[in-house]
Amino acid sequence: MTVRAVLGFRRWRRSPLYRPTDRHEAWLTLAALLLMAVAAPLLGRLCGSLTDDALQAAVESQRAQRHLTTAVVVRANRDGTSPFVQDSESVVREATTRTSVTAVWKAPDGTERSGTVSTTSETTAPGTRIRIWTDETGAPAMRPMDASTARTHAVLAGVGTALLAAGSVEVARRLVLWRMVRRRYLRIDRAWAETGPDWGRTGKGN
């Protein structure tokens, strides 16, 4: 597309109808094409890379701070809900119903803890053993983010940034083009206002 635009621009320059404003508009379009074809993908790649680095660091931090432990169900909660009923990965990976239960477990330091947690286990009878995630203090926590999930989020961030950059370039091009066309018509109106009253009179306006 860019090559054809350049070739068309060169042929158009030889036309007797070619105006300076046409040259400016052609250069504006060419610059916008180059920005959308080169700069936008590069910006998206940079954003995706930076996002991936940050998310991978978060993954390592969560893996170090969160622990998988065994809890024993005390009772199932009919109306109670847990703030850890779902996490970002469970929503993507599985459409499993999670049940809120009251359970007891041991914190990393060995102290006994109790509270409301959620489980995908089909059996929630008292005494059932379930696996839950806790933080360093033993409080219930969400599952740590997976490295592949973090990478997917980074890719989406990069693609979104590239599309946003390309869209911004196109909006800027249209805005500049609108101002150029408006300025052109203002000059035409001023020229017509100066020559219009003498239009068609012999010997006038020469």
Side-chain angles (χ1 to χ4, degrees):
M1 180 183 295
T2 303
V3 175
R4 283 187 295 180
V6 172
L7 293 177
F9 174 48
R10 294 184 62 181
R11 287 195 298 267
W12 175 239
R13 289 184 63 183
R14 301 188 183 97
S15 172
L17 300 177
Y18 184 75
R19 298 167 299 184
T21 54
D22 296 324
R23 180 176 66 252
H24 298 157
E25 292 174 13
W27 280 116
L28 174 64
T29 300
L30 181 59
L33 284 173
L34 290 175
L35 287 174
M36 286 189 286
V38 179
L42 289 177
L43 185 60
R45 183 184 181 89
L46 176 61
C47 178
S49 178
L50 294 176
T51 302
D52 186 57
D53 291 342
L55 289 178
Q56 294 301 332
V59 168
E60 294 300 323
S61 175
Q62 290 179 9
R63 285 179 176 176
Q65 297 174 359
R66 298 180 187 179
H67 310 276
L68 188 61
T69 188
T70 300
V72 179
V73 176
V74 175
R75 67 176 182 274
N77 302 327
R78 294 183 177 180
D79 300 325
T81 58
S82 168
F84 304 100
V85 169
Q86 289 183 332
D87 56 45
S88 59
E89 292 184 31
S90 65
V91 173
V92 175
R93 290 181 176 182
E94 55 190 24
T96 306
T97 301
R98 301 180 69 90
T99 304
S100 175
V101 299
T102 299
V104 294
W105 64 91
K106 288 187 179 296
D109 61 2
T111 58
E112 188 173 280
R113 302 292 298 272
S114 64
T116 301
V117 295
S118 64
T119 177
T120 58
S121 176
E122 296 180 358
T123 303
T124 57
T128 302
R129 293 180 177 272
I130 59 174
R131 301 288 280 174
I132 65 170
W133 287 94
T134 67
D135 59 19
E136 294 176 315
T137 66
M142 290 185 180
R143 182 207 310 264
M145 183 182 296
D146 186 87
S148 60
T149 302
R151 190 166 295 108
T152 299
H153 290 328
V155 170
L156 293 176
V159 172
T161 300
L163 293 177
L164 180 61
S168 299
V169 170
E170 176 61 15
V171 170
R173 185 193 72 84
R174 289 177 178 269
L175 179 60
V176 174
L177 182 61
W178 174 79
R179 290 179 63 88
M180 292 172 65
V181 172
R182 186 169 179 270
R183 191 176 303 172
R184 178 199 304 167
Y185 282 115
L186 287 176
R187 287 198 297 266
I188 293 175
D189 290 341
R190 285 197 297 266
W192 178 253
E194 294 174 357
T195 60
D198 296 330
W199 184 261
R201 297 182 182 177
T202 305
K204 299 291 186 179
N206 294 332

